[in-house]
Amino acid sequence: MARKKAALDFEQSLTELQTLVERLEGGELSLEDS
């Protein structure tokens, strides 16, 4: 059970990171704001 939760946490974190990177690349967000 703990492994499943860790995997879900990792996937959620990865999704959030990808969203931030897309916003940075698109110029929507500065490094300082991120």
Side-chain angles (χ1 to χ4, degrees):
M1 184 87 173
R3 271 197 172 174
K4 242 184 201 180
K5 181 168 175 19
L8 289 175
D9 288 346
F10 174 77
E11 288 177 19
Q12 182 179 1
S13 296
L14 183 60
T15 301
E16 290 174 12
L17 178 61
Q18 288 172 331
T19 302
L20 277 175
V21 169
E22 287 172 8
R23 289 179 66 193
L24 285 167
E25 288 176 343
E28 294 177 40
L29 192 65
S30 70
L31 280 176
E32 199 170 298
D33 290 338
S34 68

